[in-house]
Amino acid sequence: MGHVPGKRRKSSTFRSPLMRPLLKLNPYLAKYRWHLLLGTVFIALSNLFAVYSPQVVREAIDLIAQGIGQMQKPAAERALTVPETLQLWVGWTGLDLQAGLKDLHTEDAMKAAVVRCAGTLGILFLVFALLKGFFMFLMRQTIIVVSRLIEYDLKNEIYTHYQQLDRAFYKRNSTGDLMNRISEDVGKVRMYLGPAIMYTINLVVLFVMCIGFMLTVNPELTLWTLAPLPIMSIIIYKVSDVMNRRSMDVQVHQSRLSTLAQESFSGIRVLKAYAKERLAIDRFASAASDYREKSMSQARVDALFMPAIMLLIGFSTVLTIFIGGRKLIAGDPTVSVGNIAEFVIYVNMLTWPFASVGWVTSLVQQASASMVRINEFLDTRPAIVTEADDLPEVNGAITFRDVSFTYPDTGIRAVDHVSFHVPAGGTLAIVGHTGSGKTTIAELIGRVYDATEGEVLIDGVPIRRISMDRLRRSLGFVPQETLLFSDSIRNNIAFRLDGDGDIDARVVRAARQAQVHGDIEGFPQGYDTQVGERGITLSGGQKQRVSIARAIIAGPRILLFDDALSAVDTATEEAILRELRTIMKGRTTVIISHRISAVRDADHILVLEHGRVVEEGEHAALLGRKGRYAMLHEEQLLEEARHNVV
């Protein structure tokens, strides 16, 4: 279901109306409106049988009292009236209950009649209870299931939105926070969509039915019974703001905990290498302590809130017995012992719904705070979007026209007025020291970022006016930091394939070209070997070569190698390059490397320094200039010589 865009709010969450963030859920509620309507019908039916039960109890007690009273009369005057509820619910069967209550002259006959009617009322009470439970089951099967369905839809929407956001978003937000919003926050929203809505509807329906029945019995006693409810409403109103603030604090600290845990697990090798396990434990313990403090602060509000509600409900019960008892003693004909028992049951019937108001309020507060956090990400618009689709097919020519780029978060100017042209099928090499802007150029070609100045063109078309999906499907990118998924080697290599053709043959061919087939064959499970999280079970060189195989398997029009051979030795590098030369024929290739040996066969070489092109040309011509490129070449020759001596 599509997300409804909205403006990102800068004002404090706590100044906004409680339900405003939850309005974003209305499209989901509309989607499942028939489920909710059916659930409401089941709530009404369940409560209908619930509110009839106290009447059965009242009539049973009054029947017994009537029987005892009739026993005091002369035998000729004894009579027993069938209770109205019994007449209503049993009379439709065609049974004439009153006919069996004519001959009550003896004590045994009177007792038998009372027992027979009371027994029938008991059976009726049991039937009402069973029907109430049956419709309650259906109620939960509709409304709670709806909350699970919306949770499923919402998680999918958030995850899909995450995929559309640009690199800058992921640099600003931690992985732990991203995970917490799609798991913990969505879970709290689900509690609003399920239990909170269900109990709120249940409270309204039960309240209306109970009050309606109570008013028909005795309006004055009803008013006394409900007197504490306004006080309850004031307490709920006053405490809601406190609960909202504390709920938000809990969520923020939960995100911090998730981030620390994720960083520790991902960087466990570094922690162990420097023996910093204790530091990680102390940092997590400190964050957990803060989370505990915030959670306890929230729990204290709940702990005080619920007993206060229960106390007020208990006070209503006391008032019912006290006022009803006085009226009964005073001989008020509108009040009987059965009425008092009936009202006590009604009050206790309202106990849980009204006591749940505090819990439901807490759920709504937490859901509202969580939805604010979810909306913050859902309202974030991706900076990189397809502006037009002017290139039906990518051939691979790349042009930079006076391109500059400054990172928005740091203000670092990574690329400074760079211009070059690579014809389709040509090879461009970019060399330079760390921080010279090499990787940024690769990211501009892949449109991870947009140039802040100048223009990047593919086949003469501005890159902003090319479908991002078509552009990226035409790219084979091997990043500097290799990431493999927790899956088999086969699936990692075949990651970008759509499942057509002989996938296994293409995987093996790509692995051979990347010079990793022999290593894979040496594993006990071969291509079915699980690489572990982030490829932890493979060496750095093996991960890079698997990444190369993944990039070339689909035969992209443009190949980007961002220092892709840094983790392999010179001999393996030469073997990979020898295989890649065959693949590179007819494809535009950009090789970024700090090794001269990896770029010397390129058609054109750029030498970058502080984001500027300081030299460019072919390998031999650059060496002849005795400039920066020649100096890099000399440095690497000396380094290799030292390595060989060692």
Side-chain angles (χ1 to χ4, degrees), residues 631-644:
M631 187 183 301
L632 288 172
H633 184 255
E634 190 67 28
E635 289 175 358
Q636 290 181 20
L637 290 177
L638 291 173
E639 183 180 346
E640 289 179 12
R642 285 196 301 269
H643 178 73
N644 292 333

Side-chain angles (χ1 to χ4, degrees), residues 362-417:
S362 177
L363 292 181
V364 174
Q365 296 287 349
Q366 293 178 45
S368 180
S370 292
M371 202 62 203
V372 167
R373 288 161 47 80
I374 293 172
N375 289 338
E376 182 182 1
F377 280 179
L378 288 178
D379 291 344
T380 301
R381 299 294 96 193
I384 310 297
V385 295
T386 299
E387 297 178 4
D389 188 8
D390 294 345
L391 186 64
E393 184 179 358
V394 175
N395 292 318
I398 303 172
T399 304
F400 271 48
R401 289 180 182 170
D402 199 29
V403 171
S404 297
F405 177 75
T406 302
Y407 282 100
D409 295 323
T410 62
I412 297 174
R413 195 176 184 84
V415 176
D416 192 5
H417 298 288

Side-chain angles (χ1 to χ4, degrees), residues 99-154:
L101 302 179
K102 293 179 179 179
D103 186 13
L104 302 177
H105 302 306
T106 65
E107 184 176 334
D108 290 340
M110 177 61 72
K111 289 180 180 179
V114 171
V115 170
R116 186 166 60 254
C117 287
T120 307
L121 286 171
I123 293 173
L124 191 60
F125 184 88
L126 180 60
V127 170
F128 286 171
L130 291 174
L131 290 172
K132 172 191 172 184
F134 173 70
F135 286 112
M136 184 179 294
F137 167 77
L138 296 178
M139 166 187 78
R140 298 185 66 87
Q141 282 294 302
T142 49
I143 296 181
I144 299 300
V145 166
V146 163
S147 72
R148 291 293 185 181
L149 293 173
I150 296 179
E151 178 187 30
Y152 169 80
D153 291 343
L154 186 57

Side-chain angles (χ1 to χ4, degrees), residues 199-200 202-204 206-207 228-229 232-233 235-236 239 243 301-314 316 346-363:
Y199 284 119
T200 300
N202 183 68
L203 170 62
V204 172
L206 184 60
F207 182 79
L229 295 185
M232 184 186 303
S233 301
I235 293 175
I236 293 171
V239 82
M243 295 174 71
V301 176
D302 292 337
L304 291 173
F305 195 63
M306 295 298 286
I309 299 298
M310 298 298 290
L311 178 63
L312 291 171
I313 293 295
S316 292
Y346 277 132
V347 169
N348 283 275
M349 190 181 295
L350 291 171
T351 297
W352 164 242
F354 272 102
S356 70
V357 169
W359 180 59
V360 168
T361 302
S362 177
L363 292 181

Side-chain angles (χ1 to χ4, degrees), residues 500-518:
D500 54 337
D502 190 351
I503 293 179
D504 287 344
R506 297 175 70 180
V507 166
V508 172
R509 183 166 62 252
R512 289 184 186 277
Q513 292 168 338
Q515 296 296 305
V516 73
H517 174 72

